[in-house]
Amino acid sequence: LSRGLGDVYKRQGRKQLLIIISKKTSIMKNILFILTYFIFSSSILNAQENVALNATAIATQSSNHGGSYAKNAIDGKTDGDYRKSPITHTENDTGAWWQVDLGAVYDITSIKLYNRTDCCSKRLDNFTILVAESAFTDNSGGTAFATNEPYTTNPILSFSGNSRGRYVRVFLNGTGYLSLAEVEVFGTKALVNIALGKKATQFSPLNDAGKAVDGNIDGNYKNGSVTHTNEGPNSWWQVDLGGIYDITTCLLYTSPS
């Protein structure tokens, strides 16, 4: 595993992971420098899907007009006719909004809105879409996925981007009623570093093995976040993940010096 900076290794692993480096150099032998070792959980969606349709997703909105609840936009029904299919509907709110909590953090690449079609489609005008990792408290924060979008006669509006988040909010930039037939959010579940802060040990305690799982990827040894063993045969470093995981990706950061 004595490769360059940021090499990615894909292996099937279990509770612990042991690194052994025996490569010799002209300066020192079998001294292990590890900056930060990232181990990622395998709970990854291999193909992009509509993650707003997940059972854990929860939708809310600024207000409810009659029985037109926020959950109607994540029921899988895209028919925009209010008389035939349940859609969302707020009151005449300032900054009327609708949002979904996806239940986990995703790398979002596409969001699709289905507008109301039986009438009032022009209400979906001058709107913004935000994506955030933490819950919204108002119509700000996070990353703008679409901004000040105008009304269009096309009832299906598609937006592409690259944002990481758990919360998606659609809101009007003025005062009005917000109605949505369906909202689809496409992406893949974000990788989770399951090694962060876990118990680490190494061949010899020249310094703290935990420096490799402290989240700091600074490779300058003088800055205090690089592990170091004494010289010896088959030097090693390891981390106890505290549980059983199906490991799909490991990132190893070495000291450039």
Side-chain angles (χ1 to χ4, degrees):
L1 296 179
S2 53
R3 299 188 183 180
L5 179 65
D7 282 345
V8 178
Y9 306 97
K10 295 185 178 180
R11 298 285 187 272
Q12 291 298 317
R14 288 300 175 184
K15 184 173 181 179
Q16 291 188 342
L17 187 134
L18 175 68
I19 301 175
I20 299 177
I21 296 181
S22 59
K23 183 178 180 180
K24 298 181 180 180
T25 68
S26 59
I27 302 176
M28 56 190 70
K29 294 185 290 185
N30 303 330
I31 296 181
L32 181 61
F33 287 94
I34 301 178
L35 170 58
T36 301
Y37 196 80
F38 286 99
I39 301 176
F40 294 98
S41 165
S42 66
S43 56
I44 307 168
L45 301 176
N46 294 323
Q48 291 194 355
E49 60 180 90
N50 177 16
V51 296
L53 206 56
N54 292 340
T56 56
I58 300 174
T60 53
Q61 60 188 12
S62 56
S63 61
N64 298 315
H65 179 77
S68 301
Y69 301 113
K71 65 180 182 180
N72 294 343
I74 54 171
D75 61 2
K77 300 175 182 178
T78 59
D79 188 343
D81 191 328
Y82 187 83
R83 298 162 297 182
K84 298 179 181 179
S85 182
I87 68 173
T88 75
H89 199 316
T90 69
E91 298 292 356
N92 189 30
D93 299 333
T94 299
W97 58 266
W98 176 95
Q99 75 172 25
V100 60
D101 174 358
L102 300 173
V105 176
Y106 291 86
D107 290 320
I108 299 169
T109 58
S110 178
I111 296 175
K112 187 178 291 186
L113 306 184
Y114 292 80
N115 196 7
R116 183 174 177 175
T117 57
D118 61 312
C119 80
C120 318
S121 59
K122 291 185 178 180
R123 291 175 176 174
L124 189 57
D125 181 33
N126 189 22
F127 65 91
T128 294
I129 303 175
L130 298 178
V131 175
E133 294 190 46
S134 56
F136 293 104
T137 57
D138 54 28
N139 291 338
S140 64
T143 302
F145 208 86
T147 306
N148 302 327
E149 293 295 326
Y151 165 73
T152 175
T153 55
N154 189 343
I156 304 174
L157 297 85
S158 297
F159 304 92
S160 298
N162 185 18
S163 296
R164 174 169 289 193
R166 171 175 172 171
Y167 300 87
V168 175
R169 176 174 285 213
V170 182
F171 67 90
L172 301 180
N173 291 301
T175 299
Y177 298 92
L178 178 60
S179 293
L180 298 166
E182 190 74 7
V183 177
E184 295 176 342
V185 180
F186 295 92
T188 55
K189 202 166 187 179
L191 292 172
V192 177
N193 177 14
I194 57 177
L196 187 64
K198 298 298 176 60
K199 183 179 180 180
T201 52
Q202 59 188 7
F203 169 75
S204 56
L206 184 60
N207 68 2
D208 183 9
K211 293 177 183 292
V213 287
D214 61 1
N216 187 344
I217 62 172
D218 185 348
N220 190 328
Y221 184 80
K222 294 180 180 179
N223 291 336
S225 188
V226 179
T227 71
H228 196 321
T229 69
N230 289 320
E231 184 177 352
N234 297 323
S235 298
W236 57 266
W237 175 96
Q238 72 177 19
V239 61
D240 180 355
L241 301 176
I244 304 297
Y245 295 90
D246 292 323
I247 299 170
T248 60
T249 304
C250 297
L251 297 182
L252 179 66
Y253 291 81
T254 58
S255 173
S257 58

